[in-house]
């Protein structure tokens, strides 16, 4: 395929661009263009969506491409990111002082600007970089898809068999709540093997809500990750029960601004995995910043390692918080084109991969572009089983993918993707094994946060303490936390954890609440009852001290609240527990009530911390 650039440019196409159309099982429809694109209307896209103007399919912009430090960039454009706490007014003044026109606001601190005609791009970039209020400034760099067209070598999807996808599906078919964002050339939105799994889409390139694919690369990647499976049509996807979102950022290249807008939208709309089958050797600051924010939000980031048969780091894959994917072949060797090195985290089949194509067809392509959505789909399958999007869940999925990799040589850090092994790594097929509690003895009064240590905990379905179910939070596959309930009796108790694979028990001991403690709401609406739950030594008498300020006096080595009122109770029961309820009038709104429990056994035996309840 001949690559056509915008007016005034005569750059050759890089070797990792498309070199020709792949042989198709059905012909693609529509003209394929190789004009370079950007997201000049990225902000306008979001405004149009908010206004409900989602039906308009806008024409692609025409762009001029120039060289900059060995990279292709859009002529006359810079991306400027200011430092934190620089106000919008100060940013606007800075642009005015530089004599540039803001074109699109890509974030609170990041703006795409247009330089006056004839301006030296590098000189203006250096002038911005010299400002103390600027964090970074860069040209609007172009990044390229990394597919290598190839002839068909197999008539079946050998890749899914090699990574044991079907075995993983037997354990968990996926969740429709889990979405992978495929940031690429868009998708054939009407493809019969994709339409049912399409969650949402956006064209950050032309500036509309229709990500319809004119190049095919994105459609191919979407099918690898998430084609409808077991429907008697076409091909199967790695995550058959999950869905995908499609972002169109260009045809044969993607500008930094278009990619940043797509990443931000994917995070905002709840994507759990972001699949990126593109890149360059330029460590793009704007993309790095957007992806760092995505990682902080709990997105699993997966990117292609590149097709240059090189150990040179390729970005964004080489970023430490991105899972870099190289391509293997049917013999579990490195595909001849795949980049390699310690920075490449995981391999996946990427040679002669059959997947969805334009006009409802299928095609074979090769490249780290193809390996990437396979890993992204596998990650999505695991993520959907874990539940909500959190950084801990993303880290757990990445660890499971890497730690379960099948050995394929030292050209990649963690071996080749094995979906069934990753599923078993995160959700073992054997019952959990419980080892310890922290604290090892549970106070009789409820409210203590307990950490349970064991193995196989990610798939926990229930936790019971002394026969009563309790809410729990998963920390990772070896830790979960829960809040201990009141003790039914003092002495031995049993905790049970259940997963789909079975149940394990752990013994512990209920003990007196020592030192004394009370549980009372931190906030309470006026005109409602308030309950004080009390715990201390068995058989001791108790006093509840109440005050409107925090004044204390010292007695027997304890700081005792100076009470405005004092409630005397009978002795604490067989478990050392008691409770008191009182009505708080609406007129008390705005007050802060201090409470302290004091226990007495012929003399002061203990005092709880002072707790404050704010009345709304």
């Amino acid at each position: 395929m001949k690559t056509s650039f915008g007016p005034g440019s005569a750059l050759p196409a890089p070797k990792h661009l498309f070199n020709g159309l792949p042989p198709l099982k059905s012909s693609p429809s529509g003209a394929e263009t190789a004009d370079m694109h950007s997201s000049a209307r990225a902000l306008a896209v979001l405004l149009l969506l908010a206004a409900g103007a989602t039906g308009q399919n806008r024409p692609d912009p025409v762009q001029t491409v120039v060289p900059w430090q060995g990279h292709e960039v859009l002529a006359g454009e810079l991306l400027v990111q200011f430092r934190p706490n620089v106000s919008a007014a100060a940013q606007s003044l800075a642009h005015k002082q530089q004599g540039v026109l803001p074109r699109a606001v890509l974030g609170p601190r990041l703006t795409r600007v247009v330089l006056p005609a004839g301006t030296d791009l590098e000189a203006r970039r250096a002038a911005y970089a010299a400002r103390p209020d600027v964090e970074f400034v860069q040209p609007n760099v172009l990044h390229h898809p990394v597919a290598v067209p190839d002839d068909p070598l197999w008539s079946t999807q050998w890749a899914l068999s090699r990574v044991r996808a079907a075995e993983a599906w037997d354990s968990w078919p996926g969740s429709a709540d889990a979405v992978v964002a495929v940031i690429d050339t868009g998708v054939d939105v009407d493809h019969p093997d994709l339409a049912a799994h399409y969650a949402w889409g956006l064209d950050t390139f032309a500036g509309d809500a229709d990500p319809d694919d004119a190049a095919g690369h994105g459609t191919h990647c979407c099918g690898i990750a998430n084609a409808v499976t077991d429907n008697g049509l076409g091909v199967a996807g790695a995550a058959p029960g999950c869905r995908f979102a499609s972002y169109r950022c260009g045809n044969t290249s993607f500008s930094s601004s278009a990619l940043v807008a797509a990443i931000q939208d994917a995070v905002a709309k709840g994507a759990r995995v972001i699949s990126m089958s593109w890149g360059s050797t330029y460590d793009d600051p704007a993309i790095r910043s957007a992806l760092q924010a995505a990682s902080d939000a709990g997105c699993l980031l997966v990117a292609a390692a590149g097709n240059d048969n090189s150990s040179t780091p390729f970005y964004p894959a080489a970023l430490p918080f991105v899972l870099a994917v190289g391509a293997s072949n049917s013999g579990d060797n490195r595909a001849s084109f795949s980049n390699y090195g310690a920075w490449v985290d995981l391999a996946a089949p990427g040679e002669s991969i059959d997947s969805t194509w334009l006009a409802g067809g299928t095609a074979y392509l090769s490249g780290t572009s193809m390996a990437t959505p396979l890993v992204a789909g596998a990650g999505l399958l695991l993520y959907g089983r874990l539940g909500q999007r959190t950084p801990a869940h993303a880290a757990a999925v990445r660890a499971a993918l890497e730690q379960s990799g099948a050995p394929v040589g030292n050209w990649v850090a963690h071996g080749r993707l094995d979906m069934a092994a990753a599923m078993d790594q995160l959700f073992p097929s054997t019952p959990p094994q419980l080892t310890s509690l922290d604290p090892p003895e549970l106070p009789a009064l409820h409210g203590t946060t307990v950490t349970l240590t064991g193995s196989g905990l990610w798939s926990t379905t229930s936790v019971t303490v002394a026969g009563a179910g309790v809410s729990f939070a998963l920390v990772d596959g070896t830790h979960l936390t829960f809040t201990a309930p009141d003790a039914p009796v003092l002495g031995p108790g049993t905790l049970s954890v259940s997963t789909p694979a079975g149940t394990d028990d752990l013994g512990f001991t209920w003990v007196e609440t020592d030192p004394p403690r009370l549980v009372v709401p931190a906030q309470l609406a006026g005109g409602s009852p308030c309950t004080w739950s009390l715990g201390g030594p068995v058989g001791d008498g108790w006093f509840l001290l109440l005050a409107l300020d925090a004044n204390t006096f010292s007695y027997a080595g304890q700081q005792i609240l100076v009470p405005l009122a004092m409630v005397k109770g009978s002795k604490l029961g067989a478990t050392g527990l008691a409770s008191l309820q009182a009505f708080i009038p609406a007129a008390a709104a705005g007050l802060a009530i201090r409470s302290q429990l004091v226990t007495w056994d012929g003399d002061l035996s203990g005092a709880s911390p002072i707790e404050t309840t704010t009345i709304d």
Side-chain angles (χ1 to χ4, degrees), residues 511-522:
V511 296
E512 293 180 343
T513 308
D514 186 19
R517 185 166 56 87
L518 65 86
V519 176
V520 63

Side-chain angles (χ1 to χ4, degrees), residues 277-304:
S277 291
W278 44 266
S280 70
T281 55
Y282 179 62
D283 182 4
D284 191 308
I287 292 174
R288 174 191 279 263
S289 179
L291 289 177
Q292 180 67 72
S295 178
D296 293 343
C299 291
L300 174 67
L301 308 175
V302 186

Side-chain angles (χ1 to χ4, degrees), residues 474-497:
L474 293 167
V475 179
D476 52 40
T478 58
H479 298 86
L480 62 78
T481 63
F482 63 90
T483 300
D486 284 339
V489 294
L490 297 183
T494 301
L495 176 146
S496 299
V497 171

Side-chain angles (χ1 to χ4, degrees), residues 167-357:
E167 291 92 328
W169 300 338
D170 286 341
S171 175
W172 173 254
S175 167
D177 293 334
V179 175
V180 56
V182 181
I183 296 177
D184 213 280
T185 65
V187 67
D188 179 357
V189 294
D190 298 320
H191 198 293
D193 220 11
L194 294 173
H197 282 173
Y198 178 61
W200 69 79
L202 190 66
D203 187 337
T204 62
F205 186 50
D208 57 60
D210 183 359
D212 197 33
D213 191 359
H217 187 265
T219 297
H220 202 267
C221 291
C222 288
I224 293 170
N226 208 213
V228 180
T229 303
D230 199 24
N231 63 342
L233 293 173
V235 295
C242 304
R243 297 185 297 156
F244 71 91
S246 174
Y247 288 87
R248 180 174 183 259
C249 298
N251 287 335
T252 58
S253 63
F254 313 136
S255 68
S256 302
S257 54
L259 293 168
V260 167
I263 293 164
Q264 292 174 338
D265 190 78
V267 175
K269 288 189 171 130
R272 298 190 199 178
V273 181
I274 297 179
S275 180
M276 300 169 285
S277 291
W278 44 266
S280 70
T281 55
Y282 179 62
D283 182 4
D284 191 308
I287 292 174
R288 174 191 279 263
S289 179
L291 289 177
Q292 180 67 72
S295 178
D296 293 343
C299 291
L300 174 67
L301 308 175
V302 186
N307 297 341
D308 301 309
N309 186 26
S310 167
S311 61
T312 301
F314 190 77
Y315 294 93
L319 295 174
F321 47 86
V322 176
L323 199 161
V325 182
S328 58
N329 59 24
S330 60
D332 264 351
N333 298 310
R334 180 175 69 90
S336 61
F337 50 79
S338 179
N339 287 349
Y340 56 90
W343 60 274
V344 182
D345 299 302
L346 197 66
E351 191 170 275
S352 195
I353 303 301
D354 192 11
S355 185
T356 48
W357 193 253

Side-chain angles (χ1 to χ4, degrees), residues 26 65 175 330 339 374 416 505 531 588:
S26 64
V65 181
S175 167
S330 60
N339 287 349
L374 183 55
R416 189 255 304 141
D505 299 329
T531 299

Side-chain angles (χ1 to χ4, degrees), residues 295 298-300 383 386 390-403 426 458:
S295 178
C299 291
L300 174 67
Y383 213 148
L386 279 179
T390 70
H393 284 174
V397 171
R398 176 170 180 169
L401 292 170
E402 292 179 340
Q403 293 170 12
L426 204 53
W458 272 127

Side-chain angles (χ1 to χ4, degrees), residues 579-601:
S579 66
L580 173 72
Q581 188 174 82
F583 183 80
I584 306 298
L591 296 179
I593 300 175
R594 274 81 176 185
S595 306
Q596 185 180 32
L597 170 66
V598 173
T599 56
W600 196 268
D601 184 15

